Amino acid sequence: MKKIGRNVTDANIQNEFDMSEKLRNLEGDNAYKSRAGRKRHSIQYDRRLSLQPISDRRSSNASSTGESVDSLSSYTGSSSDEDDVNPREKVQKNSKGSADFCVRNIDHAAFGRREIEIAEQEMPGVMALRRRAEADKPLSGAKIIGCTHITAQTAVLIETLAALGASVRWAACNIYSTQNEVAAALAEAGYSIFAWKGESEEDFWWCIDKCINCEGWQPNMILDDGGDATHLMLKRYPAMFNMIKGIVEESVTGVHRLYQLSKGGKLTVPAMNVNDSVTKTKFDNLYSCRESVLDALKRTTDVMFGGKQILICGYGEVGKGCSAALKGLGCSVMVTEIDPICALQACMDGFRVVRLEEAIKSIDILITCTGNKNVVTRSHMDRLKTGCIVCNMGHSNTEIDVGSLRTPDLTWEQVRSQVHHIIWPDGKRIILLAEGRLVNLSCSSVPSFVVSITAATQALALIELYNAPPGRYKQDVYLLPKKMDEYVASLHLPNFDAHLTELSDEQAKYLGLNKTGPFKPNYYRY
């Protein structure tokens, strides 16, 4: 297995993923104040643990608008959003009498089950993996802590891992993306799920802790999205962390955290970086964003795309997908880039490459896709024309400096859930979506088929790490083997009635390949 040799600069690590930053003052944040009676249930986290969740997926500034967390839930909605009682204050049991879960309302399980059944139809790869490996139980004995988005697609993955022999406990990596009915359906099926849409910051960490700290249950695997479960276990339960057999991480942020731990000699278990696997970067980032950016913009603003002036910051896989989709609907698309190679690709694809300052006054929609911080600042937004839509498709909500908009001279007006008018003193207004968080996850849905590709990759990574003989993986970060990437792709080809060509012995020898793959060297760029 080839180890990843990525260089992460000390400056980036210090700025973005500093493990020693202080836990936000929960009592001072109105949006996350505990409701009456919650304190008696609270875990009082030691501030030295610095359990600050990743900023790309949670907002600490909701209080500035004066709205409750529930009012900022996804525009896609949930039929149980009206329930204003904190789930931690409820006594709930499923039909089998188990209370080892915490969801919004267990009574909505039937609705969630139908959502899961719909997702199963669009996740052929994961379902095929379930059928092929169910008899062998490759995860028998695995006890997995999961911290990802809890949606119908995730439920298909959870039930697949269980069918392959694993025992799981699951929390949400995002306080807004949880589908409450799906969480209820999983709890009704006997899974230990701790998540609901609109969690407070305190609730968020409480849910992860409940997954990890369970009497008579010792986790040995982690499936993470953002590194929060890994971080909490390492800081709060270091002895337990050292007994983990492997970590699977699928996000840019979480992978950076793992490289930081590895660089500092603090990563005591092997980890698999599936974020940079081909089946994640190409399909989740490119093809999924190509569809979901349109969905998010339509749902939130009902915008007509034809003829609009669009500026997309960043021309990586996400930027490429967004640009292609918007160009196809008649938009005039411009791109900003720091990388000359990506900039040249944008030019060859027919897009103007400009600086933000050059185009800022004339654009109708501004989309960030860089993964960087302070890409769009207050000075930029001061120059936008009235009615401009501003949103983020990159991984971190630091791309748009939303904090600079929370000043006395600007007025925040909520139009819809996750849609705000920001009004300047002269009457100019811009439309800010999802408060700078990921607009496709906060305001729309992600195609189940693409999630099937990512979920199959995650499942195979868990199987690989769990069953690896001693010594195959050191205490470091690894990429998923290319052979497994190819297997994930092959699981999905029958859905298109696609038939692969087979190499002859002579052809395989000429290319220096095994007839069954892998078919490309590690340095190949798809």
Side-chain angles (χ1 to χ4, degrees):
M1 178 59 50
K2 189 169 182 179
K3 188 169 63 177
I4 308 306
R6 172 175 296 185
N7 292 321
V8 179
T9 66
D10 290 336
N12 287 340
I13 293 171
Q14 181 64 30
N15 288 339
E16 294 299 322
F17 312 109
D18 187 359
M19 297 278 188
S20 64
E21 66 180 357
K22 295 182 180 179
L23 178 64
R24 77 173 75 253
N25 186 342
L26 298 176
E27 294 79 7
D29 190 337
N30 293 332
Y32 298 119
K33 280 184 179 178
S34 301
R35 293 186 177 93
R38 186 182 300 169
K39 288 186 178 180
R40 63 179 179 273
H41 299 289
S42 300
I43 291 178
Q44 299 301 319
Y45 291 107
D46 188 329
R47 290 183 182 273
R48 291 171 297 177
L49 297 179
S50 65
L51 300 179
Q52 175 70 28
I54 308 302
S55 60
D56 63 303
R57 293 170 286 109
R58 288 167 292 280
S59 171
S60 62
N61 297 317
S63 60
S64 299
T65 65
E67 294 132 1
S68 70
V69 170
D70 287 342
S71 72
L72 299 177
S73 57
S74 171
Y75 184 52
T76 55
S78 175
S79 62
S80 56
D81 284 346
E82 71 278 359
D83 186 350
D84 198 40
V85 178
N86 188 280
R88 290 168 61 182
E89 299 171 2
K90 296 181 179 180
V91 178
Q92 301 185 82
K93 293 185 179 181
N94 63 18
S95 60
K96 302 178 182 65
S98 173
D100 189 21
F101 63 87
C102 192
V103 300
R104 175 68 70 186
N105 192 335
I106 191 67
D107 293 337
H108 293 141
F111 185 89
R113 179 51 57 184
R114 291 194 291 273
E115 294 277 358
I116 296 169
E117 290 168 354
I118 291 173
E120 288 177 346
Q121 305 306 308
E122 266 293 291
M123 299 183 70
V126 173
M127 298 304 291
L129 179 63
R130 186 189 299 186
R131 291 191 298 270
R132 293 184 187 187
E134 189 170 7
D136 295 333
K137 294 287 189 292
L139 290 174
S140 179
K143 296 181 178 180
I144 303 170
I145 293 291
C147 185
T148 67
H149 301 280
I150 296 184
T151 62
Q153 296 84 7
T154 303
V156 177
L157 171 61
I158 289 172
E159 296 191 334
T160 296
L161 296 177
L164 302 188
S167 170
V168 305
R169 298 177 68 84
W170 223 271
C173 71
N174 186 307
I175 64 175
Y176 293 118
S177 65
T178 297
Q179 294 175 346
N180 287 328
E181 292 82 5
V182 170
L186 289 169
E188 171 60 30
Y191 298 100
S192 300
I193 304 296
F194 296 85
W196 58 93
K197 184 158 62 178
E199 296 170 3
S200 71
E201 201 87 353
E202 183 187 11
D203 292 333
F204 171 81
W205 290 114
W206 178 87
C207 287
I208 298 177
D209 191 274
K210 288 290 289 184
C211 287
I212 296 172
N213 188 14
C214 175
E215 186 176 353
W217 195 87
Q218 174 71 46
N220 53 27
M221 299 291 293
I222 298 175
L223 176 56
D224 224 347
D225 183 342
D228 288 322
T230 300
H231 184 44
L232 189 150
M233 188 182 293
L234 176 62
K235 293 295 183 180
R236 193 169 183 85
Y237 306 103
M240 187 183 297
F241 181 82
N242 291 335
M243 297 176 68
I244 295 293
K245 294 191 67 172
I247 301 167
V248 174
E249 172 60 58
E250 75 151 339
S251 74
V252 172
T253 307
V255 166
H256 275 300
R257 281 184 156 185
L258 288 173
Y259 285 122
Q260 180 190 18
L261 290 174
S262 178
K263 183 177 181 179
K266 297 178 181 179
L267 185 62
T268 57
V269 300
M272 193 75 79
N273 166 13
V274 299
N275 177 71
D276 292 311
S277 63
V278 175
T279 44
K280 169 65 166 61
T281 56
K282 278 292 178 183
F283 298 94
D284 198 347
N285 295 1
L286 175 61
Y287 299 114
S288 175
C289 292
R290 191 173 66 183
E291 297 191 19
S292 60
V293 66
L294 301 179
D295 186 26
L297 287 168
K298 280 289 188 185
R299 290 197 199 202
T300 52
T301 66
D302 305 309
V303 64
M304 176 73 181
F305 291 115
K308 290 294 190 297
Q309 298 284 322
I310 314 289
L311 183 60
I312 295 178
C313 300
Y315 201 69
E317 298 295 350
V318 174
K320 288 179 175 69
C322 295
S323 300
L326 291 162
K327 179 182 180 181
L329 289 180
C331 296
S332 175
V333 180
M334 295 172 284
V335 170
T336 70
E337 250 302 338
I338 61 168
D339 186 327
I341 296 175
C342 292
L344 184 57
Q345 287 180 309
C347 292
M348 298 295 285
D349 288 335
F351 301 111
R352 283 185 58 209
V353 178
V354 300
R355 291 184 176 177
L356 188 58
E357 293 76 10
E358 298 172 12
I360 195 71
K361 290 184 177 181
S362 61
I363 56 176
D364 301 299
I365 302 176
L366 175 58
I367 305 172
T368 54
C369 311
T370 70
N372 205 338
K373 67 180 295 186
N374 294 334
V375 176
V376 177
T377 64
R378 172 65 184 271
S379 63
H380 293 132
M381 290 181 278
D382 284 339
R383 298 172 61 193
L384 290 171
K385 69 180 184 181
T386 190
C388 183
I389 300 169
V390 180
C391 64
N392 171 41
M393 283 287 290
H395 193 263
S396 173
N397 75 346
T398 58
E399 300 202 29
I400 302 168
D401 186 9
V402 175
S404 68
L405 299 175
R406 300 186 185 281
T407 56
D409 62 318
L410 299 184
T411 302
W412 283 62
E413 176 183 86
Q414 184 168 15
V415 183
R416 292 173 171 171
S417 179
Q418 304 285 32
V419 182
H420 286 88
H421 279 156
I422 313 299
I423 306 171
W424 267 252
D426 63 358
K428 183 193 89 169
R429 63 181 61 198
I430 66 172
I431 302 171
L432 178 65
L433 304 183
E435 298 184 76
R437 295 184 302 274
L438 275 171
V439 70
N440 59 335
L441 286 174
S442 299
C443 302
S444 71
S445 61
V446 177
S448 295
F449 188 86
V450 167
V451 180
S452 177
I453 298 172
T454 301
T457 304
Q458 292 171 317
L460 285 174
L462 287 167
I463 293 170
E464 171 67 13
L465 282 177
Y466 183 69
N467 292 283
R472 174 180 292 180
Y473 296 103
K474 309 298 182 184
Q475 298 168 351
D476 218 318
V477 186
Y478 297 83
L479 272 181
L480 189 73
K482 186 175 289 290
K483 184 70 174 175
M484 292 188 182
D485 264 325
E486 293 177 350
Y487 181 63
V488 169
S490 71
L491 287 173
H492 293 82
L493 288 176
N495 195 65
F496 301 100
D497 193 27
H499 305 276
L500 287 173
T501 301
E502 294 185 9
L503 293 172
S504 67
D505 292 337
E506 182 181 5
Q507 289 172 326
K509 183 178 180 180
Y510 178 78
L511 293 175
L513 299 175
N514 188 308
K515 290 178 65 174
T516 60
F519 298 100
K520 298 291 189 295
N522 286 329
Y523 55 79
Y524 183 83
R525 294 177 175 88
Y526 290 85

